[in-house]
Amino acid sequence: MGRIALTRTTCAAVIVAALHAAPARAAPKVWVSGDGVNSTTCGVTSPCRTLQQAHDNVTAGGEIGVIGPGELGPLTITKAISIVSDGGGEASAQTGSATGIVVNALATDVVQLRGLTIDGTSQVWNGIVFNTGAALHLQLCTIKNFRNGGAFGIEFQPANAAKLVVSDSFIINNGTIGGAGIRLAPVAGATTVVLERTVIAGNYAGIDAVPLLGAGAITMAVADSTIAGNLTDGILADGSYVPVTVIADRSRFVNNGVGVHATIFRAVVLLSNSTIAGNGTGLLSDIFGVIGSYGNNNIDKNGTDGAPTMSFAQK
Amino acid sequence: MRTIVPLLATLAAAAVALPCGPAKAASPSKTWVSNAGFNNVSCGAITLPCRTFQQAHDNVGAGGEVAVAGPGDYGPVTITKSVSIISDQAGEATAQTGNATGITVQAGTADVVQLRGLTIDGALGTGSTGVNFRFGAALHVRNCAIKNFQGGYGILFQALVPAELFVSDTAITNNTGTGAVAIYVTPQAAQATVAGLLERVTIAGNNFGIFVTTSSATVNMTVTESLAAGNAFDGIVAVPTGTGPVTLMVERSKLVGNGYGVRSFGASATVLLSNSTVAANTTGLQSAAGGVIGSYGNNNIDRNGTDGAPTTSYALK
């Protein structure tokens, strides 16, 4: 077989190259497909079958590309990589009885996932568990159906300072008794979170920001997003141990048990240009949790609307 | 089993059936690339796709289109004419580069270059750049992901002629390391006026986000419905070094969790904020040496280490 990169070569050179197989080695770009075959050299001249094998064959900093649709299995990520499925058909990390994607990378590693479907098929635990790494970027992903009791779509529990950036994604139908679309429970270090154009719907809870004792602060921006139809809190900011700040802008918290819940004084949620409607309780502040408003939100038609605890001025 | 490169027999048959020869007299207006394609001076028909962007570019006529027929890594390309490179739901099309530049635009002064649906990945190579624009009338980047250029630039817009930059629905991420910038606008000649529009662009986890500097050229850019988050230094910074005015209109955008949300340096720098959020940055707003940060009075500027304040109020009309 020839090598994958045949750049600007002559026909003769193509044939010569084809007659001499390139030695196998880890490559910066590895392909995976539902009809691939796993081996320690797969991914370059022919695709791997699973994300795990592709991950093992790609160099740190490299990329796994999905070349054809498939159920590509669960995966544990231990280095900086991207996984990209851009219109190559559904690329799922359907999980059977495990976690979909576990991130156990170095504290400097950035992991980027684009275009994946991570489906729990109603049986298993969490969609993504992030234990260590510098950042997790999700774009155009769907995480759904992790229904085993307290399952989470994303469990973000870094043991180091880390960032989570979620864009244009759907996180739906996770958790039955406990669980959440996203649980932010950092163990140590400051956590920065961004959600934009993302739907978090029909989970047990929407977003639980519940840092543990010893963690750094959580700072979170929610923009142009919808948190809807979650059984308990749409978003919970829990300031039991460290500051949790949520800045929500142009977003919708609708049809949840509680739209926005800030508990204990270190929790601050600022609302701007947002709608809180159709929840059992719209805004819930307890133990001096702060819910701030820029005075431009729609907070109506909840069972109990509740009220912001502070006003903020636009500048 | 799906094969990424065709088997030897196919390859040999192709070589026999289509021996290397001179290019067709007239360049086609559309050429295709495919992972199973082969490069030669006449490739590009859907039945005979090229293997690389560069060969497909070389074979297509000016004003034409390079289209992606399936997933693949199509390598770096230098664009020298009006051309579009389009991957529209045909699968990931990458220009992975290692230590090189992904896409270089060195076209004519009236040429328009359009990139759509591409992933441009630096694979954490050092000092590399995703898209390097030097000559051309306009660059359009849509639905792209540009990432992992370490110590380099996601988009380096260093026009030597008047040029327009349009970026929409694009994520520019993890361009880190000393000197790295997600979008670096730095016109290189006095006449190289830049007009820019960024809409629905996600700029996250870079060293700098949007960095605009010029000595004597005029730069006017609008940033709308975009996000700069978690960048080590600035979300947006305007640093004119001379008399060339830089004006950035930032509306309905979010600058969150950066070292600086917005900085404006120098008397010819103006950044206007409208309906935007500047929060959770180490420093929210900072101006120096007469740089203007204007506000329409409808921004949320809170919960930064130091919020800072707009220097000038503008009225909605």
Side-chain angles (χ1 to χ4, degrees):
Chain A
M1 283 190 165
R3 300 165 58 187
I4 192 166
L6 304 176
T7 51
R8 309 194 70 176
T9 185
T10 66
C11 292
V14 169
I15 292 168
V16 169
L19 292 168
H20 297 84
R25 60 174 186 231
K29 178 77 188 243
V30 166
W31 296 94
V32 64
S33 171
D35 59 3
V37 175
N38 276 348
S39 73
T40 56
T41 59
C42 68
V44 179
T45 55
S46 61
C48 299
R49 174 65 187 82
T50 65
L51 290 171
Q52 188 66 60
Q53 187 69 57
H55 163 279
D56 296 348
N57 290 6
V58 78
T59 50
E63 181 181 298
I64 296 170
V66 176
I67 201 166
E71 193 275 276
L72 306 172
L75 168 66
T76 297
I77 295 173
T78 60
K79 55 196 173 191
I81 59 163
S82 308
I83 303 176
V84 178
S85 176
D86 237 349
E90 186 199 353
S92 68
Q94 206 176 36
T95 59
S97 59
T99 291
I101 296 179
V102 179
V103 180
N104 290 333
L106 299 178
T108 52
D109 288 342
V110 174
V111 172
Q112 304 180 73
L113 309 177
R114 184 172 166 97
L116 303 185
T117 297
I118 305 170
D119 190 338
T121 60
S122 301
Q123 293 299 318
V124 295
W125 289 92
N126 308 308
I128 297 176
V129 175
F130 186 98
N131 294 315
T132 51
L136 175 64
H137 294 255
L138 299 183
Q139 296 155 12
L140 300 163
C141 288
T142 298
I143 304 174
K144 60 187 168 73
N145 297 344
F146 291 88
R147 299 289 292 171
N148 193 354
F152 304 104
I154 300 173
E155 183 163 29
F156 200 74
Q157 51 181 14
N160 50 262
K163 295 169 186 160
L164 171 65
V165 181
V166 182
S167 309
D168 301 298
S169 291
F170 291 85
I171 301 174
I172 54 182
N173 197 34
N174 301 293
T176 53
I177 305 169
I182 299 177
R183 180 177 189 243
L184 304 168
V187 176
T191 301
T192 304
V193 182
V194 175
L195 297 188
E196 54 168 351
R197 296 181 303 278
T198 288
V199 175
I200 298 178
N203 306 286
Y204 181 77
I207 303 166
D208 281 346
V210 288
L212 305 184
L213 180 63
I218 293 180
T219 304
M220 177 173 192
V222 179
D224 300 305
S225 292
T226 298
I227 290 90
N230 300 291
L231 189 62
T232 58
D233 295 333
I235 186 164
L236 167 65
D238 180 346
S240 292
Y241 302 112
V242 293
V244 175
T245 304
V246 178
I247 294 124
D249 190 20
R250 295 184 192 282
S251 293
R252 294 148 293 279
F253 300 84
V254 295
N255 303 339
N256 304 286
V258 177
V260 174
H261 186 181
T263 186
I264 306 186
F265 62 94
R266 298 182 194 88
V268 177
V269 180
L270 302 190
L271 299 171
S272 176
N273 281 310
S274 291
T275 295
I276 294 93
N279 303 286
T281 300
L283 306 181
L284 177 59
S285 160
D286 50 30
I287 322 178
F288 306 105
V290 174
I291 298 180
S293 170
Y294 284 92
N296 53 6
N297 302 292
N298 311 329
I299 306 169
D300 288 294
K301 300 295 182 187
N302 301 283
T304 302
D305 284 339
T309 63
M310 285 183 71
S311 291
F312 283 75
Q314 293 198 310
K315 294 166 194 159
Chain B
M1 188 182 90
R2 184 184 300 264
T3 50
I4 293 174
V5 294
L7 297 173
L8 177 58
T10 316
L11 197 157
V16 169
L18 298 152
C20 300
K24 285 183 284 189
S27 296
S29 61
K30 183 158 188 170
T31 55
W32 294 87
V33 292
S34 160
N35 217 339
F38 289 101
N39 279 345
N40 60 44
V41 292
S42 57
C43 68
I46 187 64
T47 52
L48 188 68
C50 300
R51 178 62 191 84
T52 66
F53 281 147
Q54 188 66 61
Q55 187 68 57
H57 162 277
D58 295 350
N59 290 5
V60 79
E65 178 179 306
V66 172
V68 174
D73 179 356
Y74 298 111
V77 56
T78 297
I79 295 173
T80 60
K81 56 196 171 192
S82 248
V83 74
S84 303
I85 303 179
I86 305 292
S87 177
D88 204 356
Q89 297 292 309
E92 188 206 352
T94 61
Q96 210 186 25
T97 63
N99 290 325
T101 294
I103 296 178
T104 303
V105 180
Q106 190 99 18
T109 54
D111 289 344
V112 175
V113 171
Q114 303 176 65
L115 309 175
R116 187 164 139 209
L118 307 184
T119 297
I120 305 170
D121 192 332
L124 299 180
T126 302
S128 49
T129 287
V131 179
N132 180 357
F133 183 97
R134 293 175 56 79
F135 284 98
L139 172 66
H140 296 253
V141 178
R142 287 166 54 193
N143 288 317
C144 289
I146 304 174
K147 57 193 167 72
N148 296 340
F149 292 93
Q150 239 180 8
Y153 308 100
I155 296 175
L156 171 57
F157 201 78
Q158 51 174 343
L160 285 131
V161 292
E164 297 174 320
L165 171 64
F166 299 92
V167 184
S168 56
D169 300 298
T170 289
I172 305 178
T173 55
N174 198 34
N175 303 291
T176 58
T178 304
V181 184
I183 299 179
Y184 189 45
V185 176
T186 173
Q188 296 293 303
Q191 76 275 12
T193 300
V194 175
L197 173 65
L198 311 182
E199 55 177 345
R200 293 180 303 281
V201 177
T202 299
I203 297 173
N206 305 285
N207 188 44
F208 285 91
I210 301 165
F211 193 124
V212 181
T213 183
T214 174
S215 60
S216 50
T218 299
V219 177
N220 277 301
M221 290 179 63
T222 296
V223 180
T224 185
E225 297 179 27
S226 293
L227 171 85
N231 301 292
F233 288 91
D234 301 72
I236 296 176
V237 59
V239 195
T241 57
T243 55
V246 171
T247 306
L248 300 176
M249 170 66 82
V250 180
E251 58 143 21
R252 297 170 71 101
S253 293
K254 282 85 185 165
L255 303 149
V256 179
N258 306 288
Y260 298 87
V262 174
R263 279 195 295 182
S264 180
F265 286 105
S268 51
T270 304
V271 182
L272 302 186
L273 297 174
S274 178
N275 279 311
S276 292
T277 296
V278 182
N281 305 286
T282 307
T283 300
L285 307 181
Q286 186 179 89
S287 74
V292 170
I293 298 179
S295 170
Y296 285 89
N298 52 7
N299 302 292
N300 310 334
I301 306 165
D302 287 293
R303 311 301 293 193
N304 301 284
T306 303
D307 284 337
T311 63
T312 310
S313 291
Y314 284 75
L316 292 165
K317 292 164 195 160

